[in-house]
Amino acid sequence: MGIGAYIREIGRGKDGARPLDRAQAADLFGQVLDGGLSDLEVGAFCLAMRMKGETAQEMAGFLDATHARMHAIPAGAHDAPTIVIPSYNGARKLPVLTPLLALLLARAGLPVLVHGAATEDKRVFSGAVFAALGVPPMEQIKPVALGNVAFAPTALLCPGLQRLLEVRRVVHLRNSAHSVVKLMNPCAGRRLLVSSYTHPEYAHSMAETFALTGTNALLLRGTEGEAVADARRAPRWQAFVKGQALALQEGQSGSLSSLPDLPVAIDAASTAAYIRAVLDGAQPLPEPIALQVQQLVELSTQI
């Protein structure tokens, strides 16, 4: 079906729009990713879905289209699941500690893939912190070895998805691509996704999508949208094994009795220096992040 017919279905506002089934959503999103549409058509899609909101069936279809066009990371010569961490929100007030989580998981012997992109200019993103830590971005698709961390730019994995993320710089609003990247799984073989939400209502829609797609995942309320536990309090998180939900822990109310000594400056160099200090034992590891690492290591043995 042409893009205009889809826009007519989804563009009638929150109450008047009609949801698409999974196959229709895959067809629509595939057309958007393939790059054959005009800027006006892409903008209409972005704003229509922004007003309507995605159903779980639609999100599953968007993921189907994305995975069909993705340059997947091959499975390594090992039987450990690859831990997949999307990183797209970056730091606004707190240091972005997604690289710390990834490096701790690698230290535990797991292969870790972080994928991401800088989607605005006013935040500090994981890619810059990884570069300051001496972890360059991947330049070619290859497996991730045990005990290693790789950072894959979105443009390497799926150029069409990167183009859609860039629309935010023009319209200054997030679109469906920003939801897709938090749910997509670019690795072949066994994999475990670490995903996050900011607003509680998204926990339900993301859980429904995991169930539809049979995903192995750890879902938590992240830190400024990043999939790393807030260093100041343990979040609520939930595990999914082949889409089946397992309740792990309710969130901690209030703050820790002893707050971690986080850096005041959140630039890439300051964040990297803090991460090095934690890894070297010169700074204590925040308890919620230590607990998240423990949960992921244990969950990795169940999938």
Coordinates of all heavy atoms in Angstrom, one line a residue, residues 231-271:
A231 N 22.4 5.8 39.5 CA 23.4 5.5 40.6 C 22.9 5.9 42.0 O 23.5 5.4 43.0 CB 24.7 6.3 40.3
R232 N 21.8 6.6 42.1 CA 21.4 7.1 43.4 C 20.3 6.3 44.0 O 20.0 6.5 45.2 CB 20.9 8.6 43.2 CG 21.9 9.5 42.6 CD 21.2 10.8 42.1 NE 20.2 10.5 41.1 CZ 19.4 11.5 40.6 NH1 19.5 12.7 41.0 NH2 18.6 11.1 39.6
R233 N 19.7 5.4 43.2 CA 18.6 4.6 43.7 C 18.4 3.4 42.8 O 18.5 3.5 41.6 CB 17.3 5.3 43.9 CG 16.7 5.8 42.6 CD 15.4 6.7 42.9 NE 15.8 7.9 43.6 CZ 16.2 9.0 43.0 NH1 16.4 9.0 41.7 NH2 16.5 10.1 43.7
A234 N 18.0 2.2 43.3 CA 17.7 1.1 42.5 C 16.4 1.2 41.8 O 15.4 1.5 42.5 CB 17.8 -0.2 43.4
P235 N 16.3 1.0 40.5 CA 15.0 1.2 39.8 C 14.2 -0.1 39.9 O 14.7 -1.2 40.3 CB 15.5 1.4 38.4 CG 16.7 0.6 38.3 CD 17.4 0.7 39.6
R236 N 13.0 0.0 39.4 CA 12.2 -1.2 39.2 C 12.6 -1.8 37.9 O 12.8 -1.1 36.9 CB 10.7 -0.9 39.1 CG 9.8 -2.1 38.9 CD 8.4 -1.7 38.7 NE 7.5 -2.9 38.6 CZ 7.3 -3.5 37.4 NH1 7.8 -3.1 36.3 NH2 6.5 -4.6 37.4
W237 N 12.8 -3.1 37.9 CA 13.2 -3.8 36.6 C 12.4 -5.1 36.5 O 12.0 -5.7 37.4 CB 14.7 -4.0 36.4 CG 15.5 -4.4 37.6 CD1 15.2 -5.3 38.5 CD2 16.7 -3.8 37.9 NE1 16.2 -5.4 39.4 CE2 17.2 -4.5 39.1 CE3 17.5 -2.8 37.3 CZ2 18.4 -4.2 39.7 CZ3 18.7 -2.5 38.0 CH2 19.1 -3.2 39.1
Q238 N 12.3 -5.5 35.2 CA 11.6 -6.7 34.9 C 12.4 -7.4 33.8 O 12.9 -6.8 32.9 CB 10.2 -6.3 34.4 CG 9.2 -7.5 34.2 CD 7.8 -7.0 33.9 OE1 7.6 -5.9 33.4 NE2 6.9 -7.9 34.1
A239 N 12.4 -8.8 33.9 CA 13.1 -9.6 33.0 C 12.1 -10.2 32.0 O 10.9 -10.5 32.4 CB 13.9 -10.6 33.7
F240 N 12.6 -10.5 30.8 CA 11.8 -11.3 29.8 C 12.6 -12.4 29.2 O 13.8 -12.1 28.8 CB 11.3 -10.3 28.7 CG 10.4 -9.2 29.2 CD1 10.9 -8.1 29.7 CD2 9.0 -9.4 29.1 CE1 10.1 -7.1 30.2 CE2 8.2 -8.4 29.6 CZ 8.7 -7.2 30.1
V241 N 12.1 -13.6 29.2 CA 12.8 -14.7 28.6 C 11.9 -15.2 27.5 O 10.8 -15.7 27.8 CB 13.2 -15.8 29.7 CG1 13.8 -17.0 29.0 CG2 14.1 -15.3 30.7
K242 N 12.3 -15.1 26.3 CA 11.5 -15.4 25.1 C 10.1 -14.8 25.2 O 9.1 -15.4 24.9 CB 11.4 -16.9 25.0 CG 12.7 -17.6 24.7 CD 12.6 -19.1 24.5 CE 13.9 -19.8 24.2 NZ 13.9 -21.2 24.1
G243 N 10.1 -13.5 25.7 CA 8.9 -12.8 25.8 C 8.1 -13.0 27.0 O 7.1 -12.2 27.2
Q244 N 8.4 -14.0 27.8 CA 7.7 -14.2 29.1 C 8.3 -13.4 30.2 O 9.5 -13.4 30.5 CB 7.8 -15.7 29.4 CG 7.2 -16.6 28.4 CD 5.7 -16.4 28.3 OE1 4.9 -16.3 29.2 NE2 5.2 -16.3 27.0
A245 N 7.4 -12.6 30.9 CA 7.8 -11.7 31.9 C 8.1 -12.4 33.2 O 7.4 -13.3 33.6 CB 6.7 -10.6 32.1
L246 N 9.2 -11.9 33.8 CA 9.6 -12.3 35.2 C 9.8 -11.1 36.0 O 10.7 -10.3 35.7 CB 10.9 -13.2 35.1 CG 10.9 -14.4 34.2 CD1 12.3 -15.0 34.1 CD2 9.9 -15.5 34.7
A247 N 9.1 -10.9 37.1 CA 9.3 -9.8 38.0 C 10.6 -10.0 38.8 O 10.7 -11.1 39.4 CB 8.1 -9.6 38.9
L248 N 11.5 -9.1 38.8 CA 12.7 -9.2 39.5 C 12.7 -8.4 40.8 O 13.1 -8.9 41.9 CB 13.9 -8.8 38.6 CG 14.2 -9.8 37.4 CD1 15.4 -9.2 36.7 CD2 14.4 -11.2 37.9
Q249 N 12.4 -7.1 40.7 CA 12.6 -6.2 41.8 C 11.8 -5.0 41.6 O 11.7 -4.4 40.5 CB 14.1 -5.8 42.0 CG 14.3 -4.8 43.1 CD 15.8 -4.5 43.2 OE1 16.6 -5.4 43.4 NE2 16.1 -3.2 43.1
E250 N 11.1 -4.6 42.7 CA 10.4 -3.3 42.7 C 11.4 -2.2 42.9 O 12.5 -2.4 43.5 CB 9.3 -3.3 43.8 CG 8.2 -4.2 43.5 CD 7.4 -3.8 42.3 OE1 7.3 -2.6 42.0 OE2 7.0 -4.7 41.6
G251 N 11.1 -1.0 42.5 CA 12.0 0.1 42.6 C 12.2 0.5 44.1 O 11.3 0.3 44.9
Q252 N 13.3 1.1 44.4 CA 13.6 1.6 45.7 C 13.0 3.0 45.9 O 13.2 3.9 45.0 CB 15.1 1.7 45.9 CG 15.6 2.3 47.3 CD 17.1 2.4 47.3 OE1 17.8 2.3 46.3 NE2 17.6 2.7 48.5
S253 N 12.3 3.2 46.9 CA 11.8 4.6 47.2 C 12.8 5.4 47.9 O 13.5 4.9 48.7 CB 10.5 4.5 48.0 OG 10.8 3.9 49.2
G254 N 12.9 6.7 47.5 CA 13.9 7.5 48.1 C 15.3 7.3 47.6 O 15.5 6.5 46.6
S255 N 16.2 7.9 48.2 CA 17.6 7.8 47.8 C 18.4 6.8 48.6 O 17.9 6.4 49.7 CB 18.3 9.1 47.8 OG 17.7 10.1 47.0
L256 N 19.6 6.5 48.2 CA 20.4 5.6 49.0 C 20.9 6.3 50.3 O 20.9 7.6 50.3 CB 21.7 5.2 48.2 CG 21.5 4.4 46.9 CD1 22.8 4.3 46.2 CD2 20.9 3.1 47.2
S257 N 21.2 5.6 51.3 CA 21.6 6.2 52.6 C 22.9 6.9 52.4 O 23.2 7.9 53.1 CB 21.7 5.1 53.7 OG 22.6 4.1 53.3
S258 N 23.8 6.4 51.5 CA 25.0 7.0 51.1 C 25.1 7.2 49.6 O 25.2 6.3 48.9 CB 26.2 6.1 51.6 OG 27.4 6.7 51.2
L259 N 25.0 8.5 49.2 CA 25.0 8.8 47.8 C 26.4 8.6 47.2 O 27.4 9.0 47.8 CB 24.5 10.2 47.5 CG 23.0 10.4 47.9 CD1 22.6 11.9 47.7 CD2 22.1 9.5 47.0
P260 N 26.5 8.1 45.9 CA 27.8 8.0 45.3 C 28.3 9.4 45.0 O 27.6 10.3 44.8 CB 27.4 7.2 44.0 CG 26.0 7.5 43.7 CD 25.4 7.6 45.1
D261 N 29.6 9.4 44.9 CA 30.4 10.7 44.6 C 30.5 10.8 43.1 O 31.5 10.6 42.5 CB 31.7 10.7 45.3 CG 32.4 12.0 45.2 OD1 31.8 13.0 44.9 OD2 33.7 12.0 45.3
L262 N 29.4 11.2 42.5 CA 29.4 11.4 41.0 C 30.1 12.7 40.6 O 30.0 13.7 41.4 CB 28.0 11.4 40.5 CG 27.1 10.1 40.7 CD1 25.7 10.3 40.3 CD2 27.8 8.9 40.0
P263 N 30.7 12.7 39.4 CA 31.3 13.9 39.0 C 30.3 15.0 38.7 O 29.2 14.7 38.2 CB 32.1 13.5 37.7 CG 31.3 12.3 37.2 CD 30.9 11.6 38.5
V264 N 30.6 16.2 39.1 CA 29.7 17.4 38.8 C 29.7 17.7 37.3 O 28.7 17.9 36.7 CB 30.2 18.6 39.6 CG1 29.3 19.8 39.3 CG2 30.1 18.3 41.1
A265 N 30.9 17.7 36.7 CA 31.0 17.9 35.3 C 30.6 16.6 34.5 O 31.0 15.5 34.9 CB 32.4 18.3 34.9
I266 N 29.8 16.8 33.5 CA 29.3 15.6 32.8 C 29.8 15.5 31.4 O 29.3 14.7 30.6 CB 27.7 15.6 32.7 CG1 27.2 16.8 31.9 CG2 27.1 15.6 34.1 CD1 25.7 16.7 31.6
D267 N 30.9 16.3 31.1 CA 31.5 16.1 29.7 C 32.1 14.8 29.6 O 32.3 14.0 30.6 CB 32.5 17.3 29.5 CG 33.6 17.2 30.6 OD1 33.4 17.7 31.7 OD2 34.7 16.6 30.3
A268 N 32.5 14.4 28.4 CA 33.0 13.1 28.1 C 34.3 12.8 28.8 O 34.4 11.7 29.4 CB 33.2 12.9 26.6
A269 N 35.2 13.7 28.9 CA 36.5 13.5 29.6 C 36.3 13.3 31.1 O 36.9 12.4 31.6 CB 37.4 14.7 29.3
S270 N 35.4 14.1 31.7 CA 35.2 13.9 33.1 C 34.5 12.6 33.4 O 34.8 11.9 34.4 CB 34.4 15.1 33.7 OG 35.0 16.3 33.5
T271 N 33.5 12.3 32.6 CA 32.8 11.0 32.8 C 33.7 9.8 32.6 O 33.7 8.8 33.4 CB 31.6 10.9 31.8 OG1 30.8 12.0 32.0 CG2 30.8 9.6 32.0

